[in-house]
Amino acid sequence: MPSGDLISQLLALFAVLGVGVLLRALGRAGQADAAVLHRLVIDVTTPALIVTVLRRSGIGDGAWGAVAASTVALFACALAGVAVARALGLPRAAQGAAGLVGSFSNTGFLGVPVVLALYGDAGGAAGTAILVDSIVTAFLLWTFGVALAARMGGGGGGGGRGLLAVLLHPNVLSIAVGLTLHAAPIPLPVWLEHALGALGSATPTLVFLALGLSLDLASLRGRVRPLAAVAAVKLLLSPAVALGAAVALGLKRPTSEVAVLQSAMPTSMVSVIVAARYGCDGQFAAATAVVTTLGALASLPIVIEVLRRIVP
């Protein structure tokens, strides 16, 4: 893996995030604009990206091994997040939030575009990243994640509607379309291929710009120690556990790298919503999302360098 090239591409994406932060600071754009970009990415450009990637390369060999390694990391860090928050004397609602935001990664909104930017279609890496997002993040968030949040936050159960919404989400439907087009294969008009490609390629830039516009640095005040502790679980422990699981399972590149990188992504924004909806500490969850997103500037290059030196 050409580590220097990967880090350069990551820094370019985070420079786009910096543009968003600057625009927000200057009052030229803000949360409302970020919400529009979020919706555009979720409903339009990411589905186009998924269809394009899966139609070309399908799901990579060993992708289910990446799912297994990422799942091990998720459960380990959910326990670690709760344990760290409890050790620091945080109330039960904050412990539940820590378990959620310390384990669920931003694998779809951030991880898939990053993997695509770093690897392209090589070895089915992007397809593997999509599978990890669908199973480890989306499915487990609306089952295990909701159960954890409801138990710790006292917000009641009832994740069935949320799970149904996930199954009918444009991203999930686009997986079915992409795999069908790959398996058939079904030819598409040239103009449609170009349109899907153009929309999909815009995803990484729009994602990082939207993240920059949505970062609220004021949410960090007063909770530096617990935020730093949970961020360490998310950004350091999670990829370390995923790496150990990948090595134990005998995964090879790029599958092993995708499992680790997806686990190394900052906190899932949807996990923040779930935490607040089911009675956990939503403010603490949102602040952790900010810290982990900013912290990924430093942690992701470190993870990439470790992968370059260790993974066979």
Side-chain angles (χ1 to χ4, degrees):
M1 178 170 55
S3 177
D5 291 344
L6 298 182
I7 292 174
S8 295
Q9 292 181 59
L10 275 178
L11 291 177
L13 291 174
F14 276 107
V16 175
L17 183 148
V19 171
V21 172
L22 181 61
L23 288 173
R24 179 178 178 127
L26 294 175
R28 302 299 296 272
Q31 191 64 47
D33 303 284
V36 173
L37 289 179
H38 286 161
R39 183 55 56 193
L40 179 63
V41 167
I42 291 171
D43 288 344
V44 180
T45 69
T46 298
L49 174 65
I50 290 172
V51 170
T52 300
V53 168
L54 293 184
R55 179 174 176 267
R56 290 175 182 170
S57 60
I59 300 294
D61 293 336
W64 287 103
V67 169
S70 300
T71 300
V72 170
L74 185 145
F75 281 113
C77 289
L79 293 173
V82 172
V84 165
R86 184 173 298 169
L88 291 173
L90 298 184
R92 186 177 177 86
Q95 294 174 26
L100 283 171
V101 298
S103 56
F104 285 96
S105 302
N106 200 338
T107 54
F109 192 62
L110 191 56
V112 170
V114 166
V115 169
L116 183 65
L118 299 182
Y119 296 90
D121 294 332
T128 300
I130 290 169
L131 187 65
V132 170
D133 173 61
S134 301
I135 303 299
V136 181
T137 300
F139 179 75
L140 287 181
L141 178 59
W142 290 104
T143 50
F144 166 72
V146 165
L148 174 64
R151 180 176 178 84
M152 300 298 290
R161 290 185 179 179
L163 181 57
L164 179 61
V166 168
L167 295 176
L168 296 177
H169 193 280
N171 287 1
V172 175
L173 297 177
S174 64
I175 293 173
V177 172
L179 290 177
T180 299
L181 292 174
H182 177 74
I186 300 172
L188 295 178
V190 174
W191 65 267
L192 182 55
E193 286 191 29
H194 288 170
L196 289 172
L199 287 170
S201 64
T203 301
T205 300
L206 293 179
V207 163
F208 277 82
L209 184 60
L211 285 174
L213 292 175
S214 62
L215 286 179
D216 182 9
L217 300 182
S219 64
L220 308 183
R221 295 173 184 165
R223 284 178 156 178
V224 174
R225 188 181 175 195
L227 287 173
V230 177
V233 170
K234 181 73 216 66
L235 298 178
L236 300 178
L237 179 61
S238 181
V241 174
L243 177 57
V247 171
L249 291 170
L251 303 184
K252 303 297 182 183
R253 291 177 175 173
T255 303
S256 56
E257 294 169 346
V258 170
V260 175
L261 283 173
Q262 287 287 61
S263 297
M265 289 297 145
T267 294
S268 164
M269 300 300 177
V270 182
S271 69
V272 176
I273 296 172
V274 170
R277 181 180 297 175
Y278 289 94
C280 291
D281 191 333
Q283 289 186 339
F284 181 75
T288 304
V290 173
V291 171
T292 57
T293 300
L294 294 175
L297 276 165
S299 64
L300 284 177
I302 293 173
V303 169
I304 288 172
E305 183 61 22
V306 170
L307 289 174
R308 187 183 72 84
R309 293 176 178 274
I310 293 179
V311 174

